[in-house]
């Protein structure tokens, strides 16, 4: 039976249901236990499992380090570092420890943990609370970076992240927490490393995840009125990326527009674009386009932040240009 | 030694200014005029005003996320409306509206601004203190940091280096009992956080952060030591934030009665009582001060409200010191 | 007057000459003063300027944080973090502080500092002492990432890095320290943000920096025998990248092979490839090729590390394939 | 209380094994057979052997970059040749040659291995200690860390959390006087590093790291406290490394005579004297032990030399627990 839930509630439900069925799962982070998390994602867990929910000091390296050690002992830590920008202070634990433990242990053990973090801009929190930090983590073999776009994905992918034997950085876009969607009551999981074909189309492939998926869907609707057929691919897992899903789509449409929040230069769209242009050189009917943020920090004032972030009209413009080429 | 009447009156006015400023910010944050998150320092006025009363204009100041008061007091009065404008995200803001509540900096008075990563300025402050020594000046560096922030590894690297090199730093640990919802006792092993500095052989004091007459002498001792080459001091100011962590936080994690008990220790009331009983100040004098400050802050708000939004294209400026990045 | 110097000595000379002419310059880091650095790059400086060379504890966040604060006060810190992999522990200071100070101060002040770090593989030091960490830093507006390939560049670019008012991450590839080349005795600087055209050619553009430049040159010589003319572009500054230099070259040759150490996925070659394929869609005569490391950590055993790192024959193969397309 | 003759003889043999092992490693590193960097523990045998003599197989052990000895002693004798083979970068190495000197791990005896980022395992160790508590076992976590490593912020986050939660951790601070070229006094403010733990209300001791009869009781006290739920202990072992930081480092930074003074405190000689004078052991007994160990280690080297290189394609294995990455 499925009902309409918010993205936040879907995440919360995933945590409750996984805590229920695997006692090796525990949560740890700042204010995640008694208060239920800064954004309420872990609410109710401490009440039900007081010995499996831990509030910590402001010590992100300790949080992730502890999670690594506990994971190697067979536990399944779900750590929260609040804003993803804070991964900066525990970056070493993520890229030099968690990411490499499976390799260092020859597969005998691995950092089977989840680090939940709130990514992205839009709520006027400026420089160090608004970044899309995905690219910080995508050139690091051993890491898995997951980025759900809907409540349904939020629950199903978080469940898979918790069950995964790899270190998963689970990115929750703050702009999605209050979005609503159908979510099955029962426990289910969605596969990692698989993109989702959101919509079939024949003229342009739009690659877009998290909040950008909404831009893609709006654009597809609007362009449909102009007789243009967009196919939409939502990566779901940013790294390792489901290359085939993207390649199969572009092989069909011959056109690609990547919609990505965060600075353009070295954003994940760069890899998508290179990968596609290398593999589908003869299939491409037009240059690939990337719709992204400007290459600047994220400022506070709404008019400034909006100027920096990708805007919906940019998507339409890019699609029309690609078609007009 | 007690403060002179003049000084205490002045500092009382400073505290009233902070209280007033915060309540106005809260009002316009609650009604949606101010975007983003706001962290209020109501209840902590004595700590902020006391520290700023001792620091010089040339001392390096690193506020934290709950330091509107320290920021206002550090700036030239003529620039204070621009602080409100910054919080209101306006073009006339001290930083053109690009920073907002957590990021107001004013290099003209060496308010170095806050980097919203807790613990970050604690190591950045090593550099301003280092520069004072390198340039043979006696400017000190004062770093505001909360009790929770003490959990960050950066704090250790900073205290360890400052102690080894005897850098002129004041670690102003504002212990308001909580890090968001987490009480100090659940994130730190010490009875008093100040004793953490014992592990680095750094002089430290526990100070009543609600009493300016306790704050000021402690800060004077610490700054004197630092200016004389005696190295860093860690001061733990015991105080309390009346509101939640951010404006809007119901603070359900607080035990019943706790807030009320602390309100009895209201730093403003405490100083008012002293002024009335020990310095022969009259109620009406205090009311005049309050009225003057109220008008003053109302002026800041008017200025902020009347100010234009920033020019969007300014968002692409100053990414680099010498080259431009692509704008729209 | 120029003589043959090693890459290491060229760096050392740049530091001495800049220390001489600007008393605001100082060096700080672990073992950089009395010992002259783990790799000897700072040798002799402490002897001449005991008050401008500082040995620190193992505290990279404090080192970079101090450098940020001192820089804002008008000094010009040259910090060393030894192996670039260690940037993990001070990552926050680099990306959330140094990179953003100019923006946060509205250009009134900036983190005019240099962070020197030893990057790359090849000396059998395994997982956390062998990484090419460039991509960790290239999606962070405000940062400058410089990567010299020759002794001449090492000196000239380090001088510019020290004089720059931006935070410069100066990457020294451990495989280059003992390489020799012509270096003028007098103080000179080479421009930041400008790639260098190493060799003119008409058939293929090779983009390669640091140790990979040598691969490119060897390949160009060898392919010349087959009548193939390679143009070689050495980026020198990886970020902000000299896009025009690369675009002008590929516009001419129509073919691009990027040679980059470090994992392929989200390596800097991804941005180069996307940027070129977007801008030069109609000029490209063949798919772009990236010669890179495998997407794995860097293991210890020579046979394992060599298997992971890009190999010279890979370059020839890529070039021939691009031509044969 | 002094150790029994049997126990002291056994530990003497352990120390001889470490010394022998290190000298062989040095030889094959110097002649180029062993690739990469090597950090030798000659001079620190009593600290390593003493700690390992107390720890159980089920205790979690985090060696550091100078811990060949602890690694060898923690492993089952039958696996010890494979440790040498790992250092020699061979397929038969405990980790298939992918890790080498700094990264030997052996999960069968809970040697969790070292992550070459100083300070990293100090927080990873929180997790193994946490798991012991979570699973209601009394296994302790022992973390080797040098004096220099104490500068890392991670150490603060670890000690702060371990102290607050009373986690069963032994912080084994091996103070060998230097971090590469930098003497302790230039990077830390304390006279004794152990007192750093006072700032966290964590019990701590300064221990003669060259005397197993001082090391063992101290470690026994600390492990007993940890197993009983008494929380962490920090032990500072005073010792000295005879060679440079890495094999090949001339260690020019050492004042003349320092090494010689420490050699007089040679942990092996100290124990030999005790065995001869207090336990009636004969020179010939000691020579037998030395000969036996020499043959033993020679066997490790033979095994390593005779072993094949890894299969190159193995380099692409185990990047992820469940999926393969592209190989050549
Ligand atoms: C590195 C980092 N971790 C977490 C946060 C989120 N955060 C902001 S304020 C805060 C609590 C700080 O508590 P304290 O230091 O006591 O200051 P207070 O809010 O009580 O004034 C937290 C966890 C942050 N900004 N930076
Ligand atoms: C984060 C980090 N910084 C620096 C280094 C380089 N490094 C390796 S060992 C070492 C010195 C460590 O000294 P100490 O902790 O006293 O151990 P010792 O070598 O004396 O046994 C340094 C600086 C590192 N590996 N990791
Ligand atoms: Mg607090
Ligand atoms: Mg040492």
């Amino acid at each position: 039976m499925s009902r309409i839930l918010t993205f936040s509630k879907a995440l919360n439900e995933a945590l409750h249901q996984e805590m229920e069925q695997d006692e090796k799962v525990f949560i740890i982070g700042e204010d995640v236990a008694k208060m239920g998390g800064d954004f309420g994602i872990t609410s109710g867990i401490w009440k039900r499992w007081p010995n499996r929910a831990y509030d910590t000091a402001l010590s992100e390296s300790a949080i992730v380090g502890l999670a690594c050690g506990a994971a190697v002992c067979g536990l399944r830590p779900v750590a929260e570092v609040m804003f993803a920008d804070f991964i900066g202070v525990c970056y070493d634990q993520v890229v030099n420890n968690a990411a490499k433990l499976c390799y260092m242990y020859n597969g005998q053990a691995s950092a089977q943990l989840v680090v939940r973090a709130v990514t992205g801009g839009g709520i006027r929190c400026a420089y160090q609370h608004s970044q899309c930090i995905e690219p910080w983590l995508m050139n690091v073999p051993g890491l898995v970076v997951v980025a759900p776009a809907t409540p349904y994905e939020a629950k199903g992918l978080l469940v898979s992240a918790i069950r995964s034997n790899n270190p998963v950085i689970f990115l929750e876009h703050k702009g999605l927490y209050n979005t609503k969607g159908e979510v099955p009551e029962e426990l289910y999981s969605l596969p990692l490393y698989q993109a989702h074909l959101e919509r079939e189309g024949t003229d342009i492939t739009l690659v877009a995840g998290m909040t950008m998926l909404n831009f893609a869907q709006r654009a597809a609707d609007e362009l449909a009125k102009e007789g243009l057929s967009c196919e939409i691919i939502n990566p779901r897992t940013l790294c390792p990326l489901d290359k085939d899903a993207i390649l199969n789509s572009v092989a069909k449409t011959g056109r690609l527009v990547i919609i990505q929040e965060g600075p353009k230069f070295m954003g994940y769209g760069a890899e998508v674009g290179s990968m596609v242009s290398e593999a589908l050189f003869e299939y491409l009917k037009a240059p690939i386009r990337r719709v992204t943020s400007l290459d600047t920090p994220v400022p506070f004032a709404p008019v400034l932040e909006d100027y920096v972030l990708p805007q919906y009209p940019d998507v339409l413009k890019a699609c029309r240009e690609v078609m007009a080429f | 030694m007690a403060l002179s009447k003049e000084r205490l009156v002045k500092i009382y006015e400073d505290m009233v200014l902070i209280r007033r400023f915060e309540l106005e910010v809260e009002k316009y944050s609650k009604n949606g005029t101010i975007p983003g998150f706001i962290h209020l320092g109501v209840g902590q006025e004595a700590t902020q005003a006391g520290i700023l009363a001792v620091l010089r204009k040339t001392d390096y100041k690193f506020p934290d996320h709950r330091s509107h008061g320290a920021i206002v007091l550090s700036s030239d009065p003529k620039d204070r409306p621009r602080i409100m404008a910054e919080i209101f995200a306006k073009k006339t803001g001290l930083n053109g509206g690009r920073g907002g509540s957590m990021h107001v900096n004013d290099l003209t008075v060496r308010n170095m601004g806050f980097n919203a990563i807790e613990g970050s300025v604690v190591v950045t402050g090593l550099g301003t203190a280092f520069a004072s020594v390198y340039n043979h000046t006696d400017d000190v560096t004062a770093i505001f940091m909360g009790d929770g922030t003490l959990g960050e590894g950066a704090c250790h690297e900073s205290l360890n280096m400052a102690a080894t090199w005897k850098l002129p730093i004041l670690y102003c640990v504002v212990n308001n009992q909580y890090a968001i919802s987490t009480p100090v006792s659940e994130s730190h092993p010490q009875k008093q956080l100040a004793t953490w500095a014992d592990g680095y052989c750094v002089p430290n004091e526990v100070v009543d952060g609600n009493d300016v007459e306790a704050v000021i002498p402690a800060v004077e001792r610490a700054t004197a030591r630092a200016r004389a080459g005696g190295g860093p001091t860690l001061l733990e100011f015991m105080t309390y934030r009346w509101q939640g962590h951010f404006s809007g936080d119901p603070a359900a994690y607080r035990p019943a009665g706790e807030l009320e008990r602390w309100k009895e220790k209201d730093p403003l009331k405490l100083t008012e009582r002293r002024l009335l009983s020990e310095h022969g100040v009259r109620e009406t004098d205090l009311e005049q001060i309050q009225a003057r400050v109220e008008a003053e802050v109302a002026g800041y708000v008017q200025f902020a409200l009347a100010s234009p939004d920033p020019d969007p294209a300014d968002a692409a400026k100053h990414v680099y010191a010498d080259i431009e990045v692509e704008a729209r």
Side-chain angles (χ1 to χ4, degrees), chain A residues 22-266:
Chain A
D22 182 355
E23 65 187 12
K24 295 197 169 327
V25 178
F26 69 94
I27 64 166
I28 184 167
E30 293 154 26
D31 308 289
V32 295
K34 299 191 196 55
M35 190 176 79
D38 239 25
F39 295 87
I41 306 306
T42 53
S43 75
I45 289 175
W46 174 75
K47 276 204 188 55
R48 292 178 65 188
W49 299 282
N51 299 324
R52 292 166 58 193
Y54 297 85
D55 285 325
T56 70
L58 274 76
S59 303
E60 290 78 9
S61 293
I63 292 166
V64 178
L66 185 150
C68 289
V72 168
C73 296
L75 301 180
R76 293 197 173 276
V78 181
E80 176 181 308
V81 300
M82 245 183 251
F83 289 81
D85 315 62
F86 308 162
I87 284 178
V89 296
C90 54
Y91 189 75
D92 173 68
Q93 281 301 307
V94 173
V95 303
N96 283 330
N97 201 26
K100 294 170 172 54
L101 283 172
C102 181
Y103 198 78
M104 292 171 73
Y105 288 135
N106 303 73
Q108 299 297 300
S110 64
Q112 47 183 43
L113 57 86
V114 178
V115 175
R116 295 183 36 251
V118 186
T119 193
I123 62 167
R124 322 318 188 182
C125 282
Y127 325 117
Q128 291 92 358
H129 283 66
S130 308
Q131 299 170 89
C132 274
I133 56 81
E134 301 82 291
W136 296 0
L137 304 169
M138 291 175 66
N139 184 247
V140 185
L143 280 186
V144 175
V145 181
V146 173
T150 67
Y152 174 71
E153 290 180 356
K155 179 174 174 180
L157 289 173
L158 182 52
V159 168
S160 297
I162 295 171
R163 296 176 184 179
S164 169
N165 290 337
N166 295 316
V168 178
I169 310 301
F170 193 86
L171 299 173
E172 303 164 8
H173 197 295
K174 45 179 84 78
L176 294 173
Y177 276 142
N178 296 325
T179 57
K180 294 195 169 71
E182 288 252 322
V183 180
E185 237 169 54
E186 63 277 12
L187 184 50
Y188 65 94
S189 68
L190 293 173
L192 300 178
Y193 326 124
Q194 283 184 31
H196 183 243
L197 176 60
E198 299 284 341
R199 173 185 313 215
E200 291 203 47
T202 54
D203 297 326
I204 313 181
T205 298
L206 305 181
V207 169
M210 294 193 280
T211 51
M212 296 297 108
L213 175 58
N214 173 267
F215 278 11
Q217 277 155 339
R218 280 170 60 194
D221 293 340
E222 192 157 340
L223 294 167
K225 304 199 193 93
E226 305 171 15
L228 225 125
S229 158
C230 296
E231 179 149 304
I232 303 176
I233 306 273
N234 165 8
R236 284 187 176 172
T237 298
L238 293 178
C239 165
L241 187 68
D242 184 350
K243 298 175 182 172
D244 294 342
I246 297 170
L247 292 176
N248 292 337
S249 173
V250 181
K252 181 176 66 176
T253 62
R255 300 181 187 87
L256 173 62
V257 172
I258 303 152
I259 316 168
Q260 158 222 302
E261 190 181 327
K264 177 178 190 175
F265 188 82
M266 285 291 281

